[in-house]
Amino acid sequence: ITLNKQLQSDDGLVISYRGMAAYHFFRKEFETAKNFALQSYTIADTNHLVTEKQQTMQTLSRIYFALHDMETGYKYLRAADALA
């Protein structure tokens, strides 16, 4: 994350934050995972990185399902599918 900030690489930041989200997801630290994924989503959305945004929405969907928030999980899943 630090290197991507220094390089001012928006794609790299999106991927790095999403990677951290995945790491915390598999450790069952869902709130931390959600925070990283939302940071990833914000950067992807702001910079119009469509593929990265789609992948991040899929990640957010999994996180919300793990948090038993089915409505939000399906919202992100449908939005990701709409970008495909």
Side-chain angles (χ1 to χ4, degrees), residues 6-67:
Q6 290 173 350
L7 295 174
Q8 298 179 348
S9 171
D10 294 326
D11 323 32
L13 276 174
V14 170
I15 293 166
S16 295
Y17 281 123
R18 193 172 60 240
M20 291 300 296
Y23 170 79
H24 288 284
F25 178 85
F26 288 112
R27 292 179 53 89
K28 299 189 185 322
E29 298 167 351
F30 301 125
E31 287 297 327
T32 303
K34 180 176 78 171
N35 291 333
F36 277 112
L38 288 170
Q39 289 178 26
S40 176
Y41 176 83
T42 299
I43 296 167
D45 188 43
T46 301
N47 292 287
H48 311 290
L49 304 171
V50 178
T51 302
E52 298 303 334
K53 182 178 173 180
Q54 180 187 26
Q55 291 177 3
T56 301
M57 286 191 290
Q58 291 169 342
T59 300
L60 280 163
S61 175
R62 286 187 212 97
I63 293 168
Y64 280 103
F65 287 145
L67 290 167

